[in-house]
Amino acid sequence: MRLLDDEALQRSSVVANNAMNRERGLDGVNSYARDLGFHPLDRLRPQLVEHGSAAWLDLCCGQGRALAQAARQAPDGLALVGVDLVDHFDPQAAGVDGLTLVTGSVSQWQPGRTFDLITCVHGLHYVGDKLGVLARALTWLSPGGMFAAHLDVASIRLADGTPATRLVRRLLRDAGVDYDARRRIVTRTGPAVLDLPLEYAGADDRAGPNYTGQPAVDSYYRPLRTGTRPDPVPPPRRAVAVDDRGVRVEHDGSVFDVAWHDVHRASVSRLVVEVAGIDHLELTVDLVYGHHLTIPDSDDGFAAAVAEFARRSGRAEPDLAHLRAGLDDIELWQQDA
Ligand SMILES: C[S@@+](CC[C@H](N)C(=O)[O-])C[C@H]1O[C@@H](n2cnc3c(N)ncnc32)[C@H](O)[C@@H]1O
């Protein structure tokens, strides 16, 4: 596999693509509010009202239209910064009070302040070290500030080509970063140090179109073995059950019930990370409000839960004994759109 460094990636026709949608506005049909699932100004208003000032950083801002419109709609006190690799900003954004547009790569650019909102709308699809940008940006949040970025976790792979979808979702969750699998958006409130055991190895600009339909960039990482294994402790009792009421997960005495109307999708996959000694099956239950449950095959009731999801959608029960690692996941059930 030929992996590109940042310099080569930025020259690639996939990144310097004129057909990219760089024109999203703040709200309306082709907009940030629509693609993020929230209106950026709604997030900033409470801060503006309380403190008289707020700051929004938009990474991979394209033409900067959403920022320019926010500057016009919001009261004074809103500081807006947009960063994009390509100097193709909307002429109407030039000279707008409170708006700074920077030409540069989000992999290198560094702000001199913190922000109450940081967004990256369909920008990470074209970035090499997506997790590195995520880690840097999370440190730029003000206390209580919100981060939201589109991230297609299927575009993150281990250096041997294995999809790292499950691993990354788990690492992000453990680090307190939420992933909405339906919208493919990572969110976090408040600054965080994201120290993942993955080292960036390079990018592939020949990955083809991603879920947006546009050619995108896959990012490759080498797993790092860190620290020593802790002494084995008896695992807490965990169990899962799927029935007419929904999904019930029990974890060491606590019970978490999810009703069917809150379940978006269920899938099963085999997670293998040789370097970390991981090889097991996982049932992933994505919830409509963005969170997800990961249920390992060591949970009581795992196989019955997988079978019940498949039965309810009329699908064949997957052969768990022969599930191949490297297949992203096998869908068992999905809520009707
Ligand atoms: C699909 S466009 C989205 C633009 C804007 N967020 C919107 O929704 O209208 C992706 C943008 O990411 C920018 N981009 C790609 N790689 C970048 C990088 N390393 N640093 C900064 N911007 C980058 C591209 O130039 C492009 O403007």
Side-chain angles (χ1 to χ4, degrees), residues 40-85:
L41 286 183
D42 289 345
R43 295 295 152 130
L44 293 161
R45 269 198 198 98
Q47 171 78 16
L48 271 169
V49 169
E50 203 176 322
H51 301 284
S53 66
W56 173 15
L57 167 64
D58 187 28
L59 300 171
C60 305
C61 65
Q63 296 197 354
R65 284 197 178 168
L67 291 171
Q69 286 166 10
R72 281 186 220 108
Q73 286 183 27
D76 291 344
L78 187 58
L80 300 151
V81 180
V83 184
D84 201 282
L85 199 57

Side-chain angles (χ1 to χ4, degrees), residues 6-297:
D6 275 4
E7 214 183 305
L9 183 64
Q10 287 168 21
R11 284 196 308 268
S12 153
S13 61
V14 170
V15 176
N17 174 359
N18 288 335
M20 245 180 221
N21 183 355
R22 293 183 160 90
E23 295 152 20
R24 288 181 187 83
L26 188 61
D27 38 36
V29 179
N30 182 31
S31 75
Y32 276 39
R34 188 182 158 142
D35 279 22
L36 287 170
F38 66 87
H39 197 299
L41 286 183
D42 289 345
R43 295 295 152 130
L44 293 161
R45 269 198 198 98
Q47 171 78 16
L48 271 169
V49 169
E50 203 176 322
H51 301 284
S53 66
W56 173 15
L57 167 64
D58 187 28
L59 300 171
C60 305
C61 65
Q63 296 197 354
R65 284 197 178 168
L67 291 171
Q69 286 166 10
R72 281 186 220 108
Q73 286 183 27
D76 291 344
L78 187 58
L80 300 151
V81 180
V83 184
D84 201 282
L85 199 57
V86 181
D87 179 7
H88 188 48
F89 302 122
D90 188 333
Q92 296 199 7
V96 172
D97 248 10
L99 171 57
T100 309
L101 294 171
V102 181
T103 308
S105 171
V106 295
S107 299
Q108 270 107 45
W109 179 80
Q110 185 83 34
R113 58 164 304 159
T114 58
F115 295 88
D116 306 298
L117 176 65
I118 301 178
T119 49
C120 185
V121 174
H122 298 298
L124 291 178
H125 309 324
Y126 310 97
V127 169
D129 186 2
K130 303 180 204 307
L131 298 175
V133 169
L134 198 58
R136 298 173 74 237
L138 290 177
T139 64
W140 305 335
L141 284 172
S142 59
M146 183 191 181
F147 176 86
H150 290 97
L151 174 70
D152 183 11
V153 276
S155 68
I156 299 181
R157 293 177 173 266
L158 298 183
D160 65 2
T162 315
T165 311
R166 304 277 135 201
L167 179 66
V168 170
R169 283 181 66 162
R170 168 157 355 150
L171 291 171
L172 290 179
R173 183 194 59 199
D174 291 351
V177 178
D178 289 329
Y179 182 65
D180 181 335
R182 192 165 59 93
R183 288 189 176 273
R184 295 184 175 82
I185 291 183
V186 280
T187 53
R188 158 88 198 177
T189 302
V193 174
L194 190 63
D195 188 14
L196 304 183
L198 295 170
E199 177 186 48
Y200 179 56
D204 173 23
D205 66 342
R206 299 181 186 172
N210 71 357
Y211 73 98
T212 65
Q214 290 287 314
V217 171
D218 275 0
S219 304
Y220 284 74
Y221 291 84
R222 284 182 212 98
L224 299 175
R225 191 194 285 276
T226 55
T228 51
R229 297 239 173 101
D231 289 338
V233 284
R237 200 192 100 77
R238 295 180 45 132
V240 59
V242 177
D243 60 22
D244 284 345
R245 283 164 302 182
V247 183
R248 162 168 287 214
V249 177
E250 280 180 64
H251 191 177
D252 217 13
S254 337
V255 176
F256 183 55
D257 280 315
V258 185
W260 279 110
H261 59 81
D262 282 336
V263 181
H264 166 59
R265 181 177 186 266
S267 60
V268 67
S269 60
R270 179 168 163 214
L271 176 68
V272 178
V273 187
E274 269 175 35
V275 72
I278 296 174
D279 183 350
H280 64 233
L281 304 178
E282 284 184 347
L283 172 63
T284 302
V285 181
D286 291 307
L287 309 182
V288 290
Y289 43 84
H291 294 275
H292 66 275
L293 307 171
T294 305
I295 297 148
D297 57 3

